[in-house]
């Protein structure tokens, strides 16, 4: 199983309806592929974490990269894992807080380096705790 984080730039005019469309599609298409994850959006940026079987996640990423709702799609972090962070969540969504956008931008800036696993894991834990706090 792998965990992949990518970042992309939202096309102008992307709104909450477009994000909801992504979530509806993920709710339908991800469970049969055993893909779980989180979509974070805000500040003209999408960041998405995908977890699941390697081939399914990589195929999903290629499919996502051609989506017209965004451009400049780039993988920031990818790792093997034996446990999911986003268990039983076909795809959740969060609007990014300013500090989270800074952390995402820092990971993006360092994507050509070896990013410390702790930096990635800490950000994922922040997102997961926010999901758990939702009503």
């Amino acid at each position: 199983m792998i965990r992949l984080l990518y970042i992309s730039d939202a096309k102008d005019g992307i709104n909450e309806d477009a994000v909801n469309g992504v979530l509806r599609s993920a709710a339908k298409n991800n469970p049969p592929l055993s893909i779980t994850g989180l979509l974070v959006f805000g500040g003209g940026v999408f960041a998405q974490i995908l977890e699941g079987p390697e081939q399914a996640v990589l195929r999903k990423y290629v499919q996502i990269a051609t989506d017209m709702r965004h451009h400049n799609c780039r993988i920031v972090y990818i790792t093997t894992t034996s446990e999911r962070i986003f268990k039983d969540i076909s795809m959740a969504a969060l609007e990014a807080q300013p500090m989270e956008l800074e952390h995402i931008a820092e990971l993006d800036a360092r994507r050509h380096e070896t990013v410390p696993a702790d930096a990635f894991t800490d950000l994922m834990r922040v997102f997961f705790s926010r999901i758990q706090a939702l009503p």
Side-chain angles (χ1 to χ4, degrees):
M1 182 166 51
I2 65 170
R3 182 175 301 123
L4 179 148
L5 166 66
Y6 78 84
I7 297 175
S8 63
D9 301 319
K11 291 277 185 166
D12 291 339
I14 292 296
N15 58 25
E16 191 173 329
D17 288 339
V19 172
N20 287 334
V22 170
L23 294 176
R24 282 190 300 275
S25 175
K28 175 184 169 192
N29 298 320
N30 287 356
L33 300 172
S34 266
I35 294 175
T36 58
L38 171 69
L39 175 66
V40 180
F41 59 95
V45 173
F46 287 116
Q48 189 169 27
I49 299 98
L50 300 170
E51 300 175 314
E54 181 178 1
Q55 290 300 313
V57 169
L58 294 175
R59 283 187 184 116
K60 179 59 72 174
Y61 173 74
V62 169
Q63 182 182 30
I64 289 168
T66 63
D67 190 303
M68 300 303 289
R69 292 172 281 203
H70 64 157
H71 60 96
N72 194 21
C73 199
R74 58 234 181 246
I75 294 174
V76 174
Y77 191 82
I78 187 168
T79 187
T80 58
T81 183
S82 59
E83 292 185 41
R84 294 175 190 260
I85 295 173
F86 304 100
K87 297 176 186 172
D88 304 320
I89 301 173
S90 62
M91 191 57 56
L94 291 174
E95 188 167 350
Q97 303 295 320
M99 187 59 103
E100 293 164 351
L101 287 172
E102 284 184 32
H103 290 295
I104 291 168
E106 181 181 339
L107 287 173
D108 187 23
R110 298 176 64 193
R111 73 182 183 279
H112 295 293
E113 305 170 18
T114 300
V115 176
D118 290 346
F120 175 76
T121 303
D122 290 346
L123 183 59
M124 296 308 102
R125 286 188 178 129
V126 167
F127 291 147
F128 187 69
S129 67
R130 285 190 53 212
I131 290 171
Q132 289 182 314
L134 293 175

